[in-house]
């Protein structure tokens, strides 16, 4: 980057510390807006639909799905991988970008991390239902049981999943909470009565002492350093669910990096979708600026290109292996009966993000929003294509079968979106969505920089933010 | 034994740091600094030692790794060996993912609980918050005159010169 101070100016408007506190916390102290309630009711309805569908399939059995003897994994596992993938961007933003000292992450890390936690919860629902008897879910853990004790099979990638996703959820949720404590304390000190008592409980007696801050910062750096390899390991482990099986189209060493980059890609697309909505609904235009959107777009075009490279590498590997089965599976993906799904996947994930090379596209929020939705769709289809086409037409043509989802499965997917958005909307309403204490750190640092080189810091963000200065003027007027 | 604690509230980081310097020059003992965000360089000035959380992290990681490797070995080779696809009882490469995850889990939990217990950040703790503005936009300095011979008037001058917007003092029992 040519100007080292460009991203130091994380937020727009020359805000004081008090203004930051006010902007972040006052929405939490007001009643919910009409738009919030509309969104919340819609999300809860979707969640209810999903709950009914889940209750029905648990009651009746997973024979309610479109699975058959050939295609034993399809919709459910697609949803699982889709949601786990979404859950990757939060940790990437809060951990990897922290280690790389990318200050712009400060505005969005809290919300992105919350998104991660909710997405992992949605993901967890699917294997649970797939068990058919979810009340025996605790059998996946190795505990001294009356059956021997019969231990779990440590050689199975499905068990690795349990540990990878369990660890990921635990560490992400606690990392998020640790970062939240100072802001909960700010909320506590603004509140009265019952609200104060509740916030006092959750802010754990935080008093902003320098000793605590010092430990807090050390803890955040350590957790970021731990979460970075963790985030890479989680989707690598998920990919081994497929890669360790000797099924053409699954059995590839490419899978772990391919899945990880796909997860980052889809996660960032979801971050973009949510942030574009949140900044409008919650009026955080000064905090989630055009520069943030631009930065996420650049990550998208980068990861999207690598995803494209991975698709092409799969084809190359199939051809180069000279295995007729591998070659067939790849051809079948493109021109077979579900070739349309491949078409959606390739155009949404590889072609569409290339538009983000153009600044005009990145600056148009509506275009970017539509683009992010397309990537979400494309990444869902990627998992569907990988999972179901590889199974449907295997080694034995007499066993070939096709797969069509039932309404129950579709209702479950809608329900998972309902769960996700219900949790996210509750988060926006009750938890400070912007990491206020971190924003204050960045502001203080910028003032320190201003003292050294005022013209460099002041001139930095002006050129690429035409919209933001307008916002400031509107506020002033 | 007891000591008299003097508190002063400032509106900016710069004023707080200036006051911190003059307190040190006058030989006052700095008890604590409270601020809405971490101030860089304040640790050295206030004599706060480096955090030992990295040690907790390392110990947690080593414990997690050893436990995971031992437990996987014990369950699949000693307690109840089961032939899974003809793989050896001790399938070390297949044990790597779980060993890795548990290393991270234990290391992370040690850091988090280390932080919470050392800083007494627990449900029900009330903290030593004396002014709610320190979680918003103000900076507080807590000092004591333990070893410094400084009159009350000199103390008041010190706070006035350094631009404190609010001062207070109280007597605290120390064990």
């Amino acid at each position: 980057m040519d100007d080292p101070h460009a991203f130091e100016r994380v937020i727009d408007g020359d805000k004081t510390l008090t203004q930051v506190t006010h902007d972040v916390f006052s929405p939490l102290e007001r009643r919910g807006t009409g738009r919030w309630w509309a969104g919340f009711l819609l999300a809860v309805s979707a969640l209810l639909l999903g709950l009914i569908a889940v209750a029905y399939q648990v009651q009746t059995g997973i024979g309610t799905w479109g699975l058959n003897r050939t295609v034993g994994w399809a919709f459910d596992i697609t949803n699982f991988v889709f949601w786990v993938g979404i859950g990757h961007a939060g940790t990437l933003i809060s951990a990897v970008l922290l280690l790389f000292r990318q200050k712009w992450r400060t505005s969005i890390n809290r919300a992105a991390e919350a998104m991660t936690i909710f997405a992992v919860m949605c993901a967890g629902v699917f294997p649970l239902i797939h068990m058919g008897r979810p009340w025996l879910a605790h059998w996946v853990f190795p505990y001294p049981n009356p059956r021997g004790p019969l231990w779990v099979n440590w050689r199975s990638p499905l068990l690795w999943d349990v540990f990878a996703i369990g660890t990921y959820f635990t560490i992400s949720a606690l990392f998020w909470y640790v970062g939240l404590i100072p802001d909960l304390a700010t909320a506590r000190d603004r509140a009265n009565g019952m609200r104060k008592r509740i916030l006092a409980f959750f802010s754990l007696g935080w008093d902003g002492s320098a000793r605590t801050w010092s430990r807090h910062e050390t803890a955040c750096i350590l957790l970021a350093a731990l979460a970075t390899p963790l985030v890479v390991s989680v989707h690598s482990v998920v990919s081994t669910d497929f890669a360790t099986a000797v099924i053409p189209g699954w059995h590839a060493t490419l899978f772990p990096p391919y899945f990880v980059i796909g997860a980052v890609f889809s996660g960032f697309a979801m971050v973009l979708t949510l942030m574009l909505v949140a900044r409008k609904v919650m009026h955080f235009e000064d905090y989630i600026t055009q520069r943030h959107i631009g930065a996420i777009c650049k990550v998208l075009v980068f990861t999207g290109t690598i995803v494209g490279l991975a698709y092409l590498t799969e084809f190359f590997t199939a051809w180069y292996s000279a295995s007729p089965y591998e070659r067939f599976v790849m051809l079948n993906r493109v021109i077979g009966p579900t070739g349309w799904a491949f078409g959606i996947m390739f155009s949404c994930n590889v072609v569409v993000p290339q538009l983000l090379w153009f600044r005009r596209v990145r600056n148009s929020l509506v275009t970017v929003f539509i683009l992010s939705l397309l990537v979400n769709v494309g990444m869902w289809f990627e998992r569907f294509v990988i999972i179901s086409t590889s199974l449907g037409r295997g080694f034995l043509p007499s066993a070939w079968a096709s797969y069509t989802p039932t309404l129950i499965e579709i209702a479950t997917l809608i329900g998972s979106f309902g769960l996700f958005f219900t949790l996210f909307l509750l988060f926006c309403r009750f938890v400070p969505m912007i990491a206020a204490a971190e924003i204050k750190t960045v502001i203080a640092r910028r003032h320190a920089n201003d003292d050294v080189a005022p013209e460099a810091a002041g001139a930095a963000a002006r050129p690429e933010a035409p919209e933001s200065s307008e916002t400031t003027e509107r506020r002033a007027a | 034994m007891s000591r008299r604690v003097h508190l002063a509230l400032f509106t900016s980081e710069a004023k707080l740091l200036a006051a911190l310097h003059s307190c040190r020059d006058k030989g006052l003992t700095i008890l604590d600094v409270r601020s809405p965000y971490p101030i860089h360089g304040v640790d050295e000035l206030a004599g706060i030692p480096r955090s030992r959380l990295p040690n907790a992290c390392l110990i947690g990681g080593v414990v997690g790794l050893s436990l995971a490797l031992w437990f996987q070995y014990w369950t699949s080779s000693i307690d109840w060996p089961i032939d899974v696809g003809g793989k050896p009882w001790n399938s070390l490469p297949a044990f790597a993912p779980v060993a890795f995850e548990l290393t991270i889990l234990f290391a992370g939990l040690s850091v988090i609980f280390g932080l919470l217990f050392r800083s007494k950040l627990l449900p029900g703790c009330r903290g030593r918050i004396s002014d709610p503005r320190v979680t918003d936009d103000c900076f507080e300095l807590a000092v004591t005159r333990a070893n410094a011979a400084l009159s009350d008037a000199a103390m008041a001058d010190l706070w006035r010169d350094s631009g404190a917007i609010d001062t207070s003092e109280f007597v605290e029992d120390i064990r």
Side-chain angles (χ1 to χ4, degrees):
Chain A
M1 200 159 41
D2 33 336
D3 183 2
H5 295 302
F7 274 124
E8 291 283 303
R9 220 183 108 86
V10 169
I11 61 170
D12 277 337
D14 216 2
K15 291 190 190 295
T16 60
L17 301 181
T18 325
Q19 276 172 314
V20 172
T21 313
H22 178 266
D23 289 352
V24 174
F25 292 93
S26 60
L28 308 176
E29 290 153 4
R30 287 196 291 263
R31 285 174 183 279
T33 58
R35 266 189 277 186
W36 184 86
W37 275 107
F40 185 68
L41 288 178
L42 192 69
V44 171
S45 318
L47 175 60
L48 278 178
L49 176 72
L51 282 177
I52 294 167
V54 170
Y56 176 71
Q57 59 200 285
V58 170
Q59 168 81 23
T60 316
I62 54 172
T64 50
W65 296 355
L67 298 178
N68 48 55
R69 266 177 292 176
T70 308
V71 186
W73 267 9
F75 214 79
D76 188 273
I77 300 297
T78 300
N79 295 337
F80 162 70
V81 182
F82 172 74
W83 280 118
V84 174
I86 300 281
H88 271 55
T91 308
L92 201 91
I93 288 171
S94 61
V96 180
L97 297 186
L98 176 72
L99 294 183
F100 283 120
R101 306 206 181 279
Q102 294 289 308
K103 293 273 181 288
W104 61 273
R105 61 176 269 287
T106 315
S107 292
I108 54 169
N109 71 339
R110 171 78 43 79
E113 184 86 354
M115 183 201 81
T116 285
I117 296 164
F118 304 148
V120 174
M121 287 161 90
C122 290
V125 168
F126 289 99
L128 202 66
I129 310 170
H130 211 318
M131 288 174 185
R133 287 182 282 172
W135 51 91
L136 298 180
H138 58 281
W139 283 14
V140 301
F141 296 107
Y143 65 98
N145 54 60
R147 303 180 295 278
L150 177 62
W151 300 109
V152 291
N153 176 17
W154 300 105
R155 300 168 188 88
S156 163
L158 299 182
L159 186 83
W160 305 345
D161 262 358
V162 171
F163 281 85
I165 293 173
T167 301
Y168 186 56
F169 181 75
T170 314
I171 295 292
S172 305
L174 288 172
F175 188 13
W176 180 74
Y177 192 73
V178 164
L180 193 58
I181 298 171
D183 284 354
L184 289 177
T186 308
R188 171 197 66 197
D189 292 340
R190 287 167 60 90
N192 293 310
M194 192 61 189
R195 187 179 159 80
K196 192 184 188 74
R197 289 229 294 280
I198 295 171
L199 285 164
F201 178 82
F202 286 108
S203 54
L204 312 177
W206 177 273
D207 59 5
S209 151
R211 277 183 184 76
T212 311
W213 270 124
S214 163
R215 283 195 201 104
H216 189 266
E217 279 200 298
T218 311
C220 285
I221 292 284
L222 286 172
L223 288 172
L226 291 173
T228 302
L230 179 62
V231 73
V232 174
S233 83
V234 173
H235 229 60
S236 301
V237 165
V238 169
S239 81
T240 58
D241 290 351
F242 308 103
T244 54
V246 279
I247 301 220
W250 283 8
H251 193 55
T253 47
L254 174 69
F255 263 40
Y258 168 28
F259 269 51
V260 170
I261 203 74
V264 173
F265 180 57
S266 69
F268 267 87
M270 190 57 106
V271 167
L272 198 52
T273 312
L274 289 180
M275 290 308 119
L276 284 169
V277 176
R279 78 194 282 274
K280 269 274 169 281
V281 174
M282 306 293 289
H283 300 294
F284 280 140
E285 284 93 344
D286 283 351
Y287 291 86
I288 304 167
T289 64
Q290 191 79 48
R291 294 188 302 282
H292 293 94
I293 306 294
I296 303 175
C297 287
K298 287 173 192 167
V299 175
L300 268 188
V301 73
F302 171 66
T303 48
T305 309
I306 302 182
V307 166
L309 177 68
Y311 293 164
L312 298 180
T313 310
E314 272 195 300
F315 283 102
F316 174 77
T317 316
W319 168 75
Y320 195 66
S321 71
S323 154
Y325 305 104
E326 289 283 348
R327 286 180 178 181
F328 171 78
V329 162
M330 283 300 149
L331 270 183
N332 181 47
R333 266 186 200 172
V334 187
I335 53 176
T338 44
W340 57 273
F342 180 87
I344 294 176
M345 159 189 131
F346 200 85
S347 47
C348 289
N349 294 345
V350 184
V351 182
V352 163
Q354 297 305 317
L355 291 173
L356 293 171
W357 286 105
F358 303 102
R359 176 167 291 172
R360 279 186 55 187
V361 176
R362 290 202 304 272
N363 280 347
S364 158
L365 297 181
V366 178
T367 319
V368 168
F369 183 68
I370 296 169
L371 243 142
S372 73
L373 289 179
L374 286 177
V375 172
N376 284 322
V377 171
M379 282 311 289
W380 187 89
F381 272 99
E382 178 198 295
R383 279 62 177 257
F384 183 73
V385 165
I386 293 173
I387 295 170
S388 81
T389 62
S390 308
L391 286 176
R393 295 190 162 189
F395 293 107
L396 192 64
S398 64
W400 285 3
S402 62
Y403 165 81
T404 328
T406 60
L407 284 177
I408 292 291
E409 290 178 277
I410 294 168
T412 314
L413 175 62
I414 294 172
S416 70
F417 275 97
L419 175 63
F420 181 74
F421 283 106
T422 304
L423 291 171
F424 194 79
L425 286 165
L426 287 174
F427 159 76
C428 292
R429 190 72 194 79
F430 293 105
V431 179
M433 211 188 107
I434 307 261
E438 288 187 47
I439 293 277
K440 288 174 188 170
T441 317
V442 177
I443 291 180
R445 208 72 60 80
R446 189 166 61 80
H447 284 309
N449 281 333
D450 278 351
D451 295 341
V452 183
E455 62 285 340
R462 297 289 176 204
E464 223 203 328
E467 194 232 36
S468 53
S469 53
E470 267 175 47
T471 321
T472 324
E473 280 161 25
R474 206 174 58 233
R475 288 276 166 88
Chain B
M1 215 185 120
S2 69
R3 66 183 173 193
R4 184 170 289 268
V5 179
H6 298 262
L7 296 172
L9 205 62
F10 302 91
T11 50
S12 81
E13 183 185 322
K15 282 183 188 159
L16 173 100
L17 287 174
L20 198 55
H21 275 291
S22 35
C23 286
R24 263 167 61 104
D25 294 345
K26 296 233 161 48
L28 294 163
T29 310
I30 288 135
L31 295 177
D32 206 352
V33 174
R34 294 184 196 114
S35 57
Y37 58 82
I39 303 172
H40 280 255
V42 90
D43 300 13
E44 294 85 57
L45 285 174
I48 296 170
R50 278 176 69 98
S51 162
R52 286 175 299 160
L53 283 176
N55 303 0
C57 182
L58 178 67
I59 294 168
V62 171
V63 169
L65 180 67
S66 332
L67 195 71
L69 287 177
W70 166 78
F71 188 63
Q72 292 184 84
Y73 175 77
W74 179 76
T75 49
S76 49
S77 317
I78 295 170
D79 193 49
W80 190 346
I82 291 175
D83 189 332
V84 179
K87 295 186 184 79
W89 304 140
N90 179 21
S91 306
L92 199 58
F95 297 164
V98 172
F100 173 80
E101 302 300 340
L102 288 181
T103 308
I104 299 280
L105 182 67
F106 277 63
L109 291 180
S110 322
V111 170
I112 290 163
F113 289 108
L115 166 73
L116 298 184
F117 281 104
R118 285 294 288 141
S119 296
K120 296 203 176 60
L121 288 170
L122 302 164
C125 285
R126 289 181 50 222
R128 291 172 157 234
I129 208 115
S130 51
D131 194 309
R133 282 172 286 181
V134 295
T135 58
D136 178 8
D137 59 346
C138 285
F139 302 80
E140 191 179 58
L141 184 56
V143 296
T144 184
R145 285 183 289 181
N147 305 315
L150 206 61
S151 67
D152 285 350
M155 255 336 268
D157 283 347
L158 172 66
W159 289 147
R160 199 184 51 246
D161 295 345
S162 51
I165 55 161
D166 208 349
T167 58
S168 58
E169 54 183 79
F170 63 91
V171 177
E172 171 187 70
D173 286 328
I174 45 174
R175 287 128 291 166

